[in-house]
Amino acid sequence: EQQNILAMPLVKSFYQQLDTIFKQHREKTGQKCIDISLIEQHFPEFQFMGKTALDKWLKYFVDNGLLLKLNERKKQYTLPKTQV
């Protein structure tokens, strides 16, 4: 199912950019988990798309196993151990 999701060019591009952000953050801080604020800093275009646009994208990735949300209350994410 992940192959089908990432076959969509816009979804694949956004996910690849997220993957890069995760890797850079891990190299810089040693932390595997990132907060939504870091993602917002890298994608300012979500500010004019509506408040829930980024949340919906991230939820889509979580629902499809491409991201993990470690705590339901916190907007912190990590990549699954087996990446695409």
Side-chain angles (χ1 to χ4, degrees):
E1 189 175 338
Q2 289 178 356
Q3 261 64 13
N4 295 338
I5 295 165
L6 295 178
M8 296 181 271
L10 184 59
V11 174
K12 182 177 181 178
S13 175
F14 181 58
Y15 187 75
Q16 287 173 334
Q17 291 176 62
L18 280 177
D19 183 59
T20 300
I21 293 168
F22 275 100
K23 287 177 182 173
Q24 290 172 346
H25 182 71
R26 191 177 321 124
E27 289 172 6
K28 190 175 183 180
T29 67
Q31 298 173 346
K32 295 179 182 178
C33 191
I34 63 172
D35 190 79
I36 194 169
S37 61
L38 182 61
I39 299 171
E40 290 170 338
Q41 290 173 18
H42 282 83
F43 298 100
E45 56 268 36
F46 281 104
Q47 292 177 358
F48 63 83
M49 290 182 180
K51 288 188 171 189
T52 61
L54 181 56
D55 289 336
K56 287 180 180 179
W57 274 88
L58 296 174
K59 182 180 181 330
Y60 181 77
F61 287 138
V62 169
D63 290 347
N64 287 283
L66 295 168
L67 283 180
L68 299 174
K69 188 172 181 183
L70 302 178
N71 183 322
E72 198 58 39
R73 294 182 188 173
K74 296 179 182 179
K75 292 186 177 183
Q76 295 177 332
Y77 301 88
T78 190
L79 293 172
K81 291 184 182 199
T82 56
Q83 287 180 256
V84 178

